[in-house]
Amino acid sequence: MGARSAGDVVVAGLKRLEYRGYDSAGVAVPVEDRIEWRKKAGKIVHLEDEIAVRPLPETGTAIGHTRWATHGAPTDANSHPHVAGRIAVVHNGIIENFASLRAEFDVEFASETDSEVAAHLLNREVAGGATLVEAMRAVAPRLEGAFTLVAIDALEPGRIVAARRNSPLVLGQGEGEYFLASDVAAFIEFTRDAVELGQDQIVELTTDGFTVTDFDGQPAEYTQFHVDWDLSAAEKQGFDWFMRKEIFEQPRAVADTLLGRQNHHGELVLDELHIRPEELRRVNKIVIIACGTAYYAGFVAKYAIEHWVRIPCEVELASEFRYRDPIVDAQTLVVAISQSGETADTLMAIRHAREQGSKVIAICNTNGATIPRESDAVLYTHAGPEIGVASTKGFTTQLVACYLLGLYLAQVRGMKYGDEIAAIIAELEGMPSFIQRMLDRAEDVYALADELKERPSMLFLGRHAGYPAALEGALKLKELAYIHAEGFAAGELKHGPIALISQDLPVFVVVPPAGRDQLRDKVIANIAEVRARGAHTIVLAEERDEQARANADTFWPLPHVSTLLQPLVAIIPLQLFACEMATRMGHDVDQPRNLAKSVTVE
Ligand code: AGP
């Protein structure tokens, strides 16, 4: 909303959000007493082509949407905005009771979506004499599930009204112009002064300013913040993919996540951690909740936290957690790991945990996101915007945050002396240069990608903290190369998976450092077992480990680091490999098929 052509601003913003979902896109503007809209299935370039052929009128108000399909295939008709009478609306989330609401209308709906019913509900209100904001206050409370709704009324052309529940919405404050978006990336080229909107809030926007209320129309609190990264950080800076750029940003991202975590006595201070030490001393169990890559980061954290803090640490898939009737209470500390901070599975899981009385700490990379806002405390990673759908620097900075949390817990519970903690912190501070060393060997990894790009299946093995690293390496390959890739605990091979070994099957093995000899010796034996059956072994082991090297068809040397921290360096070649494989296969690395960057539906 503002002086320049709002339609152009919205399309530019949608292109910055395309990584969040890209099945279809559309824009709507209020023109005299009607709504004009353009919307197309497929990537935003199709919408731009449509607008080039049928330009939108120049207006000061516009709304737009780029979609990740939930209800209804990615077609023109199912694209947003949805229009009913003089109302246009765009929606993120799922309206779970859409079927019963649709039954209130005897009109033909234009789409198969849940979202369209919101347009009809709002239109019915304004047709009955309500203003747009009154209409939103009447409609929003009736919707169940998760939604961000943004609506315009042709008869109120200078106004936008939005509501959010369980789905992200941020406001940008410009000079005489205002923006609403799911993510600040949509408007930071225009302003970096933002407002995070809270649960069950409605915001009314005009060129004169904005008003925030709750669903009852009462004034509501909101938080202003300044976005600390600029547009260039959200651009590719010469890389072919955001993902590749983000892989190479990891030394900086890890260093930034470590910054400012100690006071001048060398003690760990996690200042966003607003849970008192005495409460942390009463904790008798930790439950880590996450999805996908974040889950594998939590899986690594389990090994570190149990070793340093000596209390049980469970790791749970968020989508399973609340359905298995988990045993959590006031003495359980829940740690929710989420790069986007908007993953619906994780959000619903922490809500369940808090209802049981548990304190929740979020580990998140997105300032002002829903999950940290609904947690008792937050540990922000400082990876900068992660645009590539496949998480890379999100993962390594989550590992660092988990290590910091584990060391902090060990500190407040007296499980480790200051000098022991300082030694591990010192090793962590050396990690950026170790990660850089792995990146410097990228060409060796790329060469293997060319050799293996036709293989239909690959296995990944690891033990101890190397096991979740293997799982994450497999996930990267699955989501980017679209081939079967599976991670196993190396010790599990003989219990079944070894039957999968066939001639030339690529098997990646993460070998623990020599310091853990029994663990390492067993993995070396596992490599020999698969190699004897024809596997092509790609061995990731310490550069000085000659026995590992002798058992490798391809050897990727790792620097000497301690076992618990080894995933920080072992994952780098696996990220590079997946990125390069997908590139050589001609896939869209940043927007892999069927995926979205932030899964805001359960
Ligand atoms: C990671 O490469 C995937 N894109 C996906 O598994 C992701 O890690 C998962 O959806 C969790 O996302 P979050 O960290 O934003 O919660």
Side-chain angles (χ1 to χ4, degrees):
M1 166 165 288
R4 25 177 152 227
S5 161
D8 295 343
V9 169
V10 164
V11 172
L14 292 178
K15 291 171 77 170
R16 304 225 184 284
L17 296 184
E18 197 166 17
Y19 65 92
R20 295 174 64 97
Y22 32 83
D23 291 321
S24 61
V27 186
V29 296
V31 183
E32 289 148 19
D33 58 354
R34 72 186 191 286
I35 298 284
E36 282 241 14
W37 72 92
R38 306 287 185 270
K39 58 184 191 175
K40 291 299 283 180
K43 297 202 168 184
I44 292 175
V45 65
H46 299 301
L47 172 65
E48 291 180 293
D49 293 345
E50 171 75 2
I51 293 172
V53 172
R54 296 172 58 222
L56 273 169
E58 299 269 317
T59 60
T61 302
I63 60 173
H65 184 273
T66 182
R67 181 171 183 243
W68 182 59
T70 53
H71 290 76
T75 61
D76 292 2
N78 288 337
S79 313
H80 302 214
H82 290 287
V83 177
R86 54 193 243 216
I87 293 289
V89 69
V90 293
H91 165 234
N92 265 356
I94 288 184
I95 299 171
E96 292 179 346
N97 59 332
F98 79 96
S100 60
L101 294 169
R102 261 181 99 130
E104 294 178 14
F105 298 90
D106 59 3
V107 296
E108 184 71 28
F109 275 48
S111 77
E112 310 156 310
T113 67
D114 55 325
S115 310
E116 184 183 350
V117 75
H120 289 277
L121 288 165
L122 290 167
N123 187 60
R124 183 170 65 184
E125 293 296 328
V126 295
T131 64
L132 182 56
V133 73
E134 289 164 348
M136 189 63 84
R137 283 192 200 123
V139 170
R142 298 190 62 203
L143 308 182
E144 293 166 13
F147 57 87
T148 298
L149 291 175
V150 182
I152 52 175
D153 175 352
L155 298 191
E156 293 188 70
R159 193 176 305 274
I160 294 178
V161 174
R164 68 165 299 273
R165 169 177 283 172
N166 299 332
S167 175
L169 183 63
V170 285
L171 184 151
Q173 294 177 267
E175 295 296 323
E177 57 185 9
Y178 293 88
F179 310 82
L180 285 171
S182 313
D183 184 315
V184 296
F187 54 68
I188 56 167
E189 69 179 293
F190 304 112
T191 180
R192 286 157 61 182
D193 293 321
V195 170
E196 63 180 62
L197 297 164
Q199 178 74 331
D200 287 6
Q201 287 188 346
I202 288 177
V203 60
E204 192 178 4
L205 218 50
T206 68
T207 47
D208 301 330
F210 64 94
T211 310
V212 181
T213 66
D214 60 20
F215 282 1
D216 297 327
Q218 297 307 309
E221 294 287 307
Y222 54 84
T223 311
Q224 295 181 292
F225 65 95
H226 183 76
V227 180
D228 58 8
W229 43 269
D230 61 16
L231 189 56
S232 66
E235 295 301 334
K236 294 182 198 167
Q237 288 162 0
F239 286 91
D240 53 350
W241 304 112
F242 279 114
M243 181 192 178
R244 201 180 311 264
K245 167 173 164 273
E246 287 148 15
I247 290 172
F248 280 81
E249 284 178 335
Q250 290 181 107
R252 175 78 268 139
V254 163
D256 288 351
T257 300
L258 283 166
L259 282 180
R261 304 293 190 183
Q262 287 176 286
N263 63 21
H264 54 283
H265 300 302
E267 289 164 336
L268 276 177
V269 282
L270 304 183
D271 45 7
E272 312 108 318
L273 209 55
H274 307 304
I275 297 180
R276 295 192 312 277
E278 51 273 21
E279 287 185 274
L280 294 174
R281 281 189 277 273
R282 283 199 295 271
V283 165
N284 64 10
K285 177 169 81 169
I286 293 170
V287 176
I288 296 174
I289 296 175
C291 303
T293 290
Y295 171 80
Y296 298 137
F299 202 157
V300 173
K302 169 190 172 65
Y303 291 93
I305 289 173
E306 287 190 338
H307 183 64
W308 294 337
V309 190
R310 306 308 298 152
I311 55 174
C313 180
E314 297 169 9
V315 192
E316 295 279 347
L317 287 171
S319 53
E320 289 292 315
F321 174 71
R322 64 192 178 118
Y323 299 107
R324 68 165 186 75
D325 200 10
I327 300 164
V328 293
D329 58 23
Q331 288 182 287
T332 308
L333 175 65
V334 168
V335 181
I337 305 176
S338 176
Q339 188 285 134
S340 65
E342 299 299 346
T343 300
D345 288 325
T346 308
L347 175 63
M348 296 307 164
I350 66 168
R351 282 196 182 149
H352 181 86
R354 297 193 78 199
E355 284 161 12
Q356 313 305 313
S358 300
K359 292 285 187 194
V360 177
I361 295 175
I363 290 179
C364 186
N365 191 45
T366 311
N367 187 308
T370 306
I371 288 170
R373 206 172 38 249
E374 295 209 11
S375 299
D376 298 286
V378 57
L379 208 47
Y380 279 114
T381 54
H382 298 286
E386 187 177 68
I387 308 300
V389 165
S391 187
T392 50
K393 62 179 183 175
F395 177 72
T396 46
T397 53
Q398 283 162 359
L399 290 180
V400 169
C402 288
Y403 294 138
L404 287 169
L405 177 61
L407 292 170
Y408 182 77
L409 290 170
Q411 174 180 287
V412 295
R413 296 170 65 99
M415 297 308 292
K416 279 205 171 291
Y417 295 122
D419 58 343
E420 294 173 306
I421 291 170
I424 299 169
I425 293 289
E427 187 176 6
L428 279 170
E429 286 167 345
M431 282 299 156
S433 59
F434 283 142
I435 292 170
Q436 188 56 53
R437 260 167 61 184
M438 303 309 298
L439 295 169
D440 294 344
R441 296 189 182 121
E443 289 308 322
D444 297 343
V445 172
Y446 297 160
L448 184 72
D450 210 29
E451 183 184 337
L452 300 184
K453 68 176 185 292
E454 302 305 327
R455 303 297 173 82
S457 176
M458 301 192 195
L459 303 187
F460 292 74
L461 307 181
R463 269 186 196 260
H464 194 268
Y467 170 33
L471 292 170
E472 168 59 10
L475 176 61
K476 287 279 110 21
L477 203 57
K478 272 192 268 262
E479 61 180 336
L480 292 163
Y482 316 152
I483 63 170
H484 172 255
E486 197 160 351
F488 291 106
E492 268 299 285
L493 264 181
K494 54 191 175 296
H495 300 292
I498 200 163
L500 289 171
I501 305 302
S502 58
Q503 188 60 35
D504 296 332
L505 176 72
V507 178
F508 295 77
V509 189
V510 179
V511 180
R516 298 296 304 267
D517 289 344
Q518 192 198 14
L519 212 51
R520 174 194 154 277
D521 297 349
K522 289 182 185 306
V523 175
I524 299 290
N526 296 142
I527 298 172
E529 286 159 16
V530 298
R531 206 167 184 225
R533 290 163 175 79
H536 175 135
T537 58
I538 302 98
V539 177
L540 293 82
E542 284 185 335
E543 45 220 2
R544 64 185 181 177
D545 191 333
E546 290 310 320
Q547 199 182 2
R549 191 186 293 266
N551 279 280
D553 296 303
T554 304
F555 186 72
W556 288 345
L558 302 176
H560 172 66
V561 298
S562 51
T563 306
L564 289 169
L565 306 191
Q566 192 191 54
L568 275 172
V569 292
I571 198 60
I572 305 302
L574 300 181
Q575 295 169 339
L576 289 167
F577 178 76
C579 181
E580 189 62 13
M581 274 282 278
T583 303
R584 292 175 192 249
M585 296 167 94
H587 294 173
D588 184 335
V589 171
D590 284 334
Q591 299 176 0
R593 70 182 183 194
N594 307 337
L595 293 178
K597 183 59 185 171
S598 176
V599 184
T600 56
V601 294
E602 278 193 287

